[in-house]
Amino acid sequence: MHRTTLGDFELTVVSDGTYYLDGGAFFGVVPKTMWSKKVTADDQNRVHAGLNSLLVRTGKENVLIETGIGNKLSDKLIKIYSQPARLLDNLQASGVSPEEIDIVINSHLHFDHCGWNTVRRGDQIVATFPNAKYYVQEKEWEHGRLQLERDAISYMSPNYDALLENGQMVLLSGDLELLPGISVRVFPGHTANMQAVMVASGGQTACYISDLIPTSAHLDPTWLMAFDLFPLQTIESKKRYYTQAIPERWLTVFTHDDQMPWGYVERGERNRLTLTSL
């Protein structure tokens, strides 16, 4: 389990396991001859992707960023993606129960980022974290409600509708500080309103950048996923992120890297982006 301190905060990567993604979709227009040097695909061209959540203990609150795939996928989708469903076990191993989570932040509402928001209990959908407030951008939720042909499969309302109905989910508008040291910042590209989560304490900063930079293999601004709705904005958002993250030495947390969940992005020879592990 990956754990570190950031000022007065304790950060722990808590995994929901790994799942399958098509390698071509994961790297978009990047040729396989290039991306296969960084990750290995199986005989069906699938790669293993991580499902990394981030637990932040501030000393007052327990904050969980992202909730993985969860355990509510249909049999058909389980065959496509797999359903490891390890988040709650790994939370317990880190010493935190679902009842002890105070805040849950979803960067966006794709099923692989908010699946453990809720669980089935009999014929009802209920909050996995009963004492938590959940946060997401309002326009992200509105987009999911549209169920557009391009990405309807990514938005599964059982992951969030019950939380809106019972008042646990709070819809945000733009960049905002949620509590001292924890804030969200919108970086459009993957979706129009995907938010990164900033964690700052003791003069240090970490950023859960989510699907803007899903793995350490996606550092290059032009290495995008086919899932990105607005690829040109993804490139600009990456460049904007690096202008601050590199000189200020932010710890970048990768949502889908099953080998290296975090590290420091730096500029190496010929201005190439490299990663220094924690």
Side-chain angles (χ1 to χ4, degrees), residues 54-221:
L54 184 66
L55 173 65
V56 182
R57 292 180 171 101
T58 71
K60 296 181 179 180
E61 296 92 3
N62 292 320
V63 180
L64 183 64
I65 304 168
E66 304 288 64
T67 64
I69 280 182
N71 65 351
K72 302 189 302 297
L73 291 186
S74 67
D75 291 342
K76 178 181 178 180
L77 291 180
I78 290 173
K79 289 180 181 179
I80 295 172
Y81 297 109
S82 83
Q83 182 177 250
R86 292 174 53 191
L87 180 66
L88 298 190
D89 289 340
N90 285 328
L91 265 180
Q92 183 178 13
S94 69
V96 176
S97 70
E99 292 77 16
E100 293 175 303
I101 297 296
D102 302 294
I103 289 175
V104 174
I105 306 173
N106 296 135
S107 68
H108 59 301
L109 292 176
H110 287 176
F111 73 91
D112 54 334
H113 292 259
C114 62
W116 276 114
N117 279 6
T118 61
V119 292
R120 285 194 177 92
R121 189 167 295 159
D123 59 355
Q124 292 186 315
I125 299 290
V126 301
T128 306
F129 308 100
N131 300 314
K133 279 290 185 184
Y134 294 69
Y135 294 93
V136 75
Q137 289 290 316
E138 182 174 15
K139 290 182 179 179
E140 170 70 12
W141 171 71
E142 289 176 350
H143 176 83
R145 290 181 67 199
L146 296 176
Q147 289 290 285
L148 301 176
E149 292 90 342
R150 171 66 171 80
D151 60 354
I153 190 175
S154 296
Y155 291 96
M156 301 179 182
S157 60
N159 289 331
Y160 41 84
D161 274 0
L163 303 173
L164 288 161
E165 291 168 4
N166 73 7
Q168 278 187 259
M169 178 165 274
V170 179
L171 300 177
L172 306 175
S173 179
D175 301 351
L176 187 72
E177 184 178 61
L178 302 180
L179 66 153
I182 306 290
S183 60
V184 296
R185 189 179 299 184
V186 175
F187 282 96
H190 182 64
T191 71
N193 296 280
M194 192 203 76
Q195 60 185 10
V197 184
M198 311 296 301
V199 181
S201 177
Q204 302 176 50
T205 301
C207 180
Y208 189 101
I209 196 60
S210 190
D211 278 339
L212 184 68
I213 312 170
T215 76
S216 59
H218 291 82
L219 294 182
D220 189 298

Side-chain angles (χ1 to χ4, degrees), residues 32-51:
K32 186 176 181 179
T33 53
M34 295 178 67
W35 63 253
S36 60
K37 296 176 182 179
K38 298 178 180 289
V39 297
T40 302
D42 66 11
D43 58 2
Q44 298 181 56
N45 206 45
R46 301 178 304 177
V47 298
H48 273 108
L51 292 162

